[in-house]
Amino acid sequence: MAEAHQAVGFQFTVRPDGVDLKLNTLCSGVYPASPSSWLIVVIAMMSSLYIRIDPSLGMIDSIKDNLPYRDCLSAQTRAVLSGILFATGLWLFLIYLLRYTLKVLLSYHGWIFESHGKMSTSTKVWLSLVKMFSGRRPLLYSFQASLPRLPVPSVDDTICRYLESIHPLLDNEQYNQMKILANDFRDSIAAQLQRYLMLKSWWATNYVSDWWEEYIYLRSRSPIMVNNNFYMMDLLYVTPTHRQAARAGNVVHAMLQYRRKLERGEHAPLRALGIVPMCSTQMERMFNTTRIPGIETDIVQHLTDRKHLVVYHKGRFFQLWLYTGGRHLLPSELETQFQRILNDTSEPQPGELKLAALTAGNRVLWARTRIKYFSQGVNKVSLDAIESAAFFLTLDEEPQGYDSTKTNSLDSYAKSLLHGKCYDRWFDKSFTLISYPNGKMGINVEHSWADAPVVGHMWEYVLATDCFHLGYTEEGHCKGDVNKALPHPSRLQWQFPKECQEVIKTSYVIAKQIADDVDLHSYLFTEFGKGLIKKCRTSPDAFIQLALQLAQFRDQGLFCLTYESSMTRMFRDGRTETVRSCTSEAVAFVRAMEDTKRSHCSRLALFRKAADKHQHMCRLAMKGPGIDRHLFCLYIMSKHLGVDSPFLKKVLSEPWKLSTSQTPQQQLNLVDINKFPKYVGSGGGFGPVADDGYGVSYIIVGENLITFHISSKFSSPDTDSYRFGRHIQKAMLDIQALFHPENDKMVGNGEHVQLVNGKKHL
């Protein structure tokens, strides 16, 4: 998602549930065994000794003879202690053996390359073994120690795949020049850089992730609003209540439930095919986390056990405690507290209204301002309250959401979530929850600590819990008794001199220019969806990516370097890899679509070839041997060693004029959309990546809906998000017509009419 923007030209007390938390931590620590299995091993060992069978082959006698203070112990006591010690050692050895066996099994990724629905016998056996060694009831972090490390690809393979990826984008002279640079790099410093990178991969849990977070995100000095943060929307068609305080009460309570399960590790680990585990490291910093600005680099501050929330409303900051009597506030209690804030008529203090614009502006300016004006006194106390809060909540003043009677309702909603007024979201928090007066919700997410699927997991849980478990009264209020004895939320206090207020204004001006330049268009593609695409025996993602290539060519008249985000979470601490979607096969297909002399059959054959190539690229990225993360780490290593590489410098400076990302649906069991078809989400999006390019996020919802979020810049004369959306729609319909040529008919003026689900589309 937004990492593509940063990847170009970057520079350098015990709670009541405490016992459960510790027990679950212990269970994850000894998984795939269980604490009770230790007792079983000890009993089995002592029973064998009782019947005079020594399974330790004399090791227990050796332990007995070397026990400290053995002269003070009776022979029977020494025998029991020796047996327990040996049994414990055997138990730990078996745990590590099981983990290592599981890690070896999980290092096999041949199943990724098998055709959908055609699983080989070897893969079936492998899956059975993985299932057997995975235990019965894994917790969220149970598999962490068993996940394999991300492998370092060979330099030759990476360079070969890189040259293949840029071939359709360059003319012969440009390609030959790039090939010369690549060969010079391979013959000079590549081997040295690769050796050091291999060394790093042996001692680091992941050779990419720490550098990716530091250099792509935290060292960037440009504003993070729009350039870094992304957003997620509420349910598309349904608003459970139109009472702002009530909806916020239920959603915040659901988030607290999610956080408690997260801290206990009680969420089920995400698993491919329902068996192969994914890394859960990113989820650890979802709550109680803030990006702290620095002069040269930011840091991510993660705290534990935060008991308060900071709320912004009409220019005022309020601190609200989330616990009472050792428990979470109930939804009805949260509603009462939020209503008190909404009813508060006090005025903002001088400089308070647009204070959060500091987090939206230049990072160096914010860091220096923080040191100068927020290092002591009430400003420090209030800033600490914000940065240590569980998360940040904005009670917005203007209604938003999808309205079928308004053509631009989703566009306005998306822009509100992405940047708002530039001063009403705390962009440094791990996420800002946004509540609208008509009951709609949404979130703005800081990107450095995690990727979109991680936040999406939480958001799916929250929306399902809000609608199907917590619910509302007939009047739209939260269920439960109202507790008016709770202490009122307290105002945060500030004292800003004139100089600080001027800095706040400067940051606001910078942020406002960025926000005003964002051309954001979100729309619903309802002509068909995943159901029809699968009937065509094609990957839905490949189908959409090829439609994006066709739309890009029709919009710009040329092909461009295309970024698609793919996850690498089958590896320990894995995050993302880039799929370079503009392949030679995709280019050949697009040219055939624009050639009126080509037949349906030839176009369809080229489409299938391009789709197969795209799927292969996605599978390679998931498996580890991608292109861009390897080259990125080689570049960082060259900087550490003080050596220069024109090839790596050229690669890392190439602009991604089309950046794309799919928002996955991960917990399909939470809502039965066949039974509740209106309870569907609309995904989320991110800001434009290149000054003259597009950012496209999409979510495939159910069988008949795809939502697109398209961003670009008004300042570019070459881009138009609405126009690009129309090109995407036509490209989707044109590709669909390849599978049903009888539905593609020419009309008198030369335009195509396509019949989809009985409807005519020009």
Side-chain angles (χ1 to χ4, degrees):
M1 287 183 71
E3 69 262 22
H5 186 284
Q6 308 296 341
V8 180
F10 63 90
Q11 305 188 5
F12 278 89
T13 38
V14 180
R15 294 178 301 161
D17 57 354
V19 174
D20 292 332
L21 177 61
K22 292 177 181 178
L23 179 60
N24 287 337
T25 301
L26 175 62
C27 290
S28 293
V30 301
Y31 200 83
S34 63
S36 60
S37 64
W38 172 81
L39 186 60
I40 294 172
V41 173
V42 170
I43 292 174
M45 186 61 59
M46 300 310 295
S47 299
S48 64
L49 293 177
Y50 180 78
I51 59 176
R52 300 186 181 281
I53 297 176
D54 183 8
S56 71
L57 303 178
M59 293 181 65
I60 292 178
D61 290 336
S62 178
I63 294 172
K64 188 192 308 181
D65 294 338
N66 290 280
L67 280 173
Y69 309 109
R70 59 184 180 276
D71 295 336
C72 303
L73 303 173
S74 65
Q76 186 176 7
T77 302
R78 278 184 287 156
V80 171
L81 284 175
S82 301
I84 292 174
L85 287 173
F86 177 79
T88 301
L90 177 63
W91 180 66
L92 292 173
F93 170 77
L94 291 174
I95 289 174
Y96 282 103
L97 180 62
L98 288 172
R99 283 183 179 176
Y100 183 77
T101 303
L102 184 57
K103 180 178 287 190
V104 171
L105 288 170
L106 294 177
S107 297
Y108 167 75
H109 298 111
W111 61 273
I112 297 176
F113 296 93
E114 294 185 353
S115 300
H116 183 70
K118 296 180 180 179
M119 191 177 293
S120 65
T121 303
S122 59
T123 296
K124 290 179 181 178
V125 172
W126 171 78
L127 285 173
S128 299
L129 290 172
V130 171
K131 192 173 183 179
M132 181 177 67
F133 282 96
S134 294
R136 290 184 298 170
R137 290 186 294 272
L139 298 171
L140 179 62
Y141 303 113
S142 294
F143 293 109
Q144 291 300 103
S146 300
L147 292 175
R149 298 188 181 194
L150 183 67
V152 181
S154 73
V155 172
D156 287 343
D157 288 346
T158 298
I159 290 177
C160 182
R161 284 194 295 271
Y162 169 76
L163 291 175
E164 180 187 1
S165 73
I166 62 170
H167 200 188
L169 304 174
L170 305 177
D171 58 34
N172 289 336
E173 183 179 352
Q174 292 172 326
Y175 179 74
N176 288 332
Q177 289 176 350
M178 202 66 203
K179 196 172 182 180
I180 291 171
L181 287 177
N183 290 333
D184 288 344
F185 168 72
R186 177 165 43 198
D187 296 338
S188 56
I189 63 172
Q192 179 190 13
L193 299 179
Q194 181 77 348
R195 281 196 299 272
Y196 281 106
L197 200 57
M198 290 294 294
L199 286 173
K200 187 195 176 189
S201 72
W202 293 344
W203 59 260
T205 54
N206 189 295
Y207 80 93
V208 176
S209 294
D210 57 339
W211 281 352
W212 188 250
E213 179 176 309
E214 178 182 357
Y215 291 102
I216 296 300
Y217 296 114
L218 300 180
R219 282 186 178 267
S220 172
R221 302 295 80 202
S222 60
I224 62 174
M225 184 197 75
V226 175
N227 297 325
N228 174 85
N229 290 27
F230 59 93
Y231 65 88
M232 289 188 173
M233 289 183 169
D234 198 353
L235 296 172
L236 183 60
Y237 302 114
V238 175
T239 305
T241 179
H242 293 285
R243 296 184 183 274
Q244 184 176 15
R247 185 78 198 284
N250 260 12
V251 168
V252 169
H253 184 78
M255 284 182 167
L256 295 177
Q257 288 184 334
Y258 184 92
R259 185 178 72 161
R260 181 169 58 192
K261 293 184 69 174
L262 189 65
E263 291 170 342
R264 295 177 174 181
E266 291 176 349
H267 291 290
L270 186 65
R271 294 196 270 185
L273 304 178
I275 297 174
V276 184
M278 304 291 179
C279 181
S280 302
T281 297
Q282 294 179 58
M283 303 178 79
E284 296 174 356
R285 297 188 292 180
M286 187 174 298
F287 296 90
N288 326 317
T289 299
T290 305
R291 177 171 175 163
I292 306 297
I295 303 299
E296 295 183 356
T297 181
D298 296 352
I299 62 170
V300 176
Q301 172 187 276
H302 175 66
L303 305 172
T304 57
D305 196 24
R306 299 296 97 185
K307 293 184 172 65
H308 72 278
L309 177 69
V310 171
V311 183
Y312 179 91
H313 177 58
K314 289 188 176 181
R316 296 88 44 83
F317 292 83
F318 296 84
Q319 185 174 13
L320 187 156
W321 293 100
L322 298 170
Y323 286 81
T324 181
R327 62 165 175 82
H328 291 150
L329 291 184
L330 301 175
S332 58
E333 294 170 331
L334 288 166
E335 179 186 358
T336 299
Q337 296 292 64
F338 294 142
Q339 193 61 53
R340 286 171 172 174
I341 294 174
L342 291 170
N343 295 340
D344 191 299
T345 58
S346 60
E347 293 294 321
Q349 300 162 73
E352 185 180 17
L353 175 66
K354 298 180 179 179
L355 170 62
L358 289 170
T359 68
N362 183 276
R363 300 305 291 175
V364 175
L365 178 63
W366 172 209
R368 289 174 175 161
T369 303
R370 189 175 184 275
I371 293 170
K372 187 173 183 179
Y373 299 108
F374 295 86
S375 296
Q376 58 186 356
V378 294
N379 290 351
K380 184 181 189 308
V381 172
S382 296
L383 182 63
D384 286 347
I386 294 174
E387 293 179 342
S388 64
F391 53 93
F392 192 84
L393 169 64
T394 294
L395 296 175
D396 222 322
E397 304 166 56
E398 300 175 2
Q400 297 288 351
Y402 173 65
D403 184 345
S404 59
T405 64
K406 298 179 181 178
T407 56
N408 64 342
S409 60
L410 273 181
D411 301 355
S412 173
Y413 184 22
K415 280 182 70 70
S416 175
L417 291 173
L418 182 62
H419 54 68
K421 297 177 181 177
C422 305
Y423 57 79
D424 51 356
R425 288 92 175 89
W426 199 269
F427 294 100
D428 285 350
K429 288 300 290 183
S430 55
F431 66 90
T432 295
L433 177 65
I434 303 156
S435 169
Y436 296 102
N438 60 345
K440 280 296 181 184
M441 304 290 292
I443 49 176
N444 179 286
V445 186
E446 199 281 312
H447 205 334
S448 66
W449 64 273
D451 301 308
V454 174
V455 187
H457 186 276
M458 179 268 290
W459 195 231
E460 290 172 358
Y461 175 93
V462 167
L463 294 180
T465 302
D466 169 34
C467 296
F468 294 99
H469 298 282
L470 299 177
Y472 299 89
T473 66
E474 291 183 0
E475 295 79 21
H477 293 286
C478 294
K479 294 180 179 179
D481 297 330
V482 177
N483 182 3
K484 295 184 178 180
L486 291 172
H488 284 241
S490 57
R491 283 281 303 272
L492 298 184
Q493 301 301 311
W494 310 96
Q495 292 179 359
F496 299 128
K498 291 291 184 182
E499 296 82 1
C500 183
Q501 294 181 40
E502 288 301 318
V503 174
I504 294 172
K505 290 179 182 178
T506 300
S507 291
Y508 171 69
V509 170
I510 294 171
K512 187 73 163 51
Q513 289 175 343
I514 295 172
D516 288 345
D517 197 25
V518 176
D519 179 9
L520 198 51
H521 175 55
S522 300
Y523 84 97
L524 311 178
F525 183 85
T526 56
E527 283 77 4
F528 60 87
K530 179 176 64 176
L532 187 144
I533 295 174
K534 284 191 170 182
K535 288 179 181 177
C536 300
R537 298 184 180 179
T538 302
S539 157
D541 184 68
F543 189 103
I544 294 172
Q545 284 292 326
L546 289 171
L548 291 175
Q549 290 302 317
L550 182 55
Q552 162 71 22
F553 187 79
R554 288 172 173 173
D555 187 83
Q556 298 291 310
L558 49 81
F559 298 98
C560 68
L561 195 61
T562 304
Y563 184 110
E564 183 188 4
S565 181
S566 175
M567 67 92 187
T568 56
R569 289 174 62 195
M570 288 189 296
F571 301 97
R572 181 76 179 268
D573 293 346
R575 290 196 63 161
T576 60
E577 177 58 272
T578 304
V579 178
R580 293 176 167 238
S581 301
C582 187
T583 61
S584 297
E585 291 80 0
V587 168
F589 162 70
V590 170
R591 292 197 184 281
M593 289 294 290
E594 296 301 278
D595 185 353
T596 57
K597 297 179 181 179
R598 301 298 289 266
S599 67
H600 269 88
C601 292
S602 64
R603 289 172 176 172
L604 184 57
L606 289 170
F607 171 82
R608 292 201 181 280
K609 186 177 180 182
D612 290 344
K613 177 65 174 182
H614 181 79
Q615 281 189 279
H616 181 72
M617 297 287 287
C618 290
R619 289 162 174 166
L620 277 177
M622 292 175 61
K623 182 176 177 289
I627 300 171
D628 291 273
R629 298 302 178 269
H630 186 205
L631 293 176
F632 162 77
C633 288
L634 290 172
Y635 177 79
I636 298 299
M637 188 63 75
S638 73
K639 291 300 180 183
H640 280 298
L641 297 178
V643 296
D644 188 57
S645 169
F647 168 71
L648 293 176
K649 189 179 296 184
K650 176 72 173 174
V651 171
L652 270 294
S653 64
E654 293 171 337
W656 301 95
K657 291 194 175 184
L658 180 58
S659 179
T660 71
S661 178
Q662 180 186 168
T663 302
Q665 288 189 289
Q666 303 167 81
Q667 302 169 92
L668 300 176
N669 60 308
L670 293 179
V671 179
D672 184 352
I673 60 174
N674 293 319
K675 187 177 180 181
F676 303 100
K678 295 294 184 181
Y679 286 82
V680 294
S682 46
F686 52 94
V689 170
D691 291 339
D692 56 350
Y694 292 106
V696 181
S697 176
Y698 53 94
I699 180 171
I700 304 169
V701 186
E703 300 296 306
N704 300 296
L705 173 65
I706 304 171
T707 303
F708 289 92
H709 302 261
I710 306 159
S711 64
S712 61
K713 292 189 176 183
F714 285 118
S715 57
S716 172
D718 300 325
T719 58
D720 182 313
S721 294
Y722 180 84
R723 183 186 71 205
F724 194 65
R726 302 286 69 77
H727 282 307
I728 293 175
Q729 183 178 34
K730 188 176 187 307
M732 294 281 288
L733 294 171
D734 287 348
I735 294 176
Q736 185 270 341
L738 295 178
F739 296 90
H740 304 281
E742 69 279 3
N743 290 341
D744 188 17
K745 301 178 180 179
M746 294 293 294
V747 295
N749 60 2
E751 292 182 322
H752 281 82
V753 173
Q754 295 171 1
L755 303 179
V756 182
N757 296 333
K759 303 176 184 178
K760 290 185 178 181
H761 297 274
L762 286 177

